[in-house]
Amino acid sequence: MTMRQYLRHPSDVPLAYHLGEVVTDRNHYLRNIGAGGLCFASRIAIAPGAHIYIEIPIAEPVFKADGVVVWCEPAEEYFEVGVRFDGVDTEYGLRMVEQVCQIEHYRHEIFKSEGRVLGSEEAALEWIQKYAARFPQ
């Protein structure tokens, strides 16, 4: 068993994916992000080896990447799908991971400090307005 080189970052961010000509809605959710890929919840099983195109609309520009499904496992009422990215710029990918973590942290802090419950998209919009300009390039 190999240890991960980077920590996985939990999140609950909507995403859409394409399998060939099949385009899904944005009712799928990112579960976590690790070095070189991600895991998301899907209503359908997706065969390992399938080519997949992912969009995560939490920031501009929208994160878009081609990848390959490396595993798919049943979990409660959905499937967890692991995807490895092909040809994604590492620096951009790491920036995306950090932004997702910052947004999720912001969402939880707003709940603790103000009692407001923000969805992922609402939290992303607020975080971007308040902090994106100061986020390291």
Side-chain angles (χ1 to χ4, degrees), residues 9-16 25-33 38-41 54-59 62-63 96-97 99-105 107-108 119-124:
H9 300 282
S11 62
D12 188 15
V13 174
L15 65 75
D25 54 30
R26 295 199 190 291
N27 292 328
H28 302 277
Y29 290 91
L30 183 63
R31 304 296 293 165
N32 58 57
I33 301 172
L38 57 78
C39 168
F40 71 93
I54 302 232
E55 293 182 3
I56 304 172
I58 66 162
V62 171
F63 179 79
M96 179 70 181
V97 168
Q99 282 185 344
V100 168
C101 293
Q102 294 294 329
I103 291 165
E104 287 303 299
H105 177 74
R107 185 169 73 126
H108 294 290
S120 294
E121 290 182 64
E122 291 171 302

Side-chain angles (χ1 to χ4, degrees), residues 20-111:
E21 299 299 314
V22 178
V23 179
T24 67
D25 54 30
R26 295 199 190 291
N27 292 328
H28 302 277
Y29 290 91
L30 183 63
R31 304 296 293 165
N32 58 57
I33 301 172
L38 57 78
C39 168
F40 71 93
S42 173
R43 290 184 299 275
I44 63 169
I46 304 172
H51 293 278
I52 190 167
Y53 176 77
I54 302 232
E55 293 182 3
I56 304 172
I58 66 162
E60 290 296 331
V62 171
F63 179 79
K64 299 176 183 181
D66 289 311
V68 175
V69 173
V70 291
W71 55 268
C72 180
E73 298 176 359
E76 298 177 23
E77 298 177 15
Y78 57 89
F79 294 88
E80 287 192 341
V81 180
V83 175
R84 182 189 74 239
F85 295 131
D86 290 335
V88 172
D89 178 43
T90 304
E91 187 176 328
Y92 178 75
L94 292 174
R95 180 175 164 77
M96 179 70 181
V97 168
E98 186 61 28
Q99 282 185 344
V100 168
C101 293
Q102 294 294 329
I103 291 165
E104 287 303 299
H105 177 74
Y106 174 79
R107 185 169 73 126
H108 294 290
E109 288 301 308
I110 289 298
F111 178 71

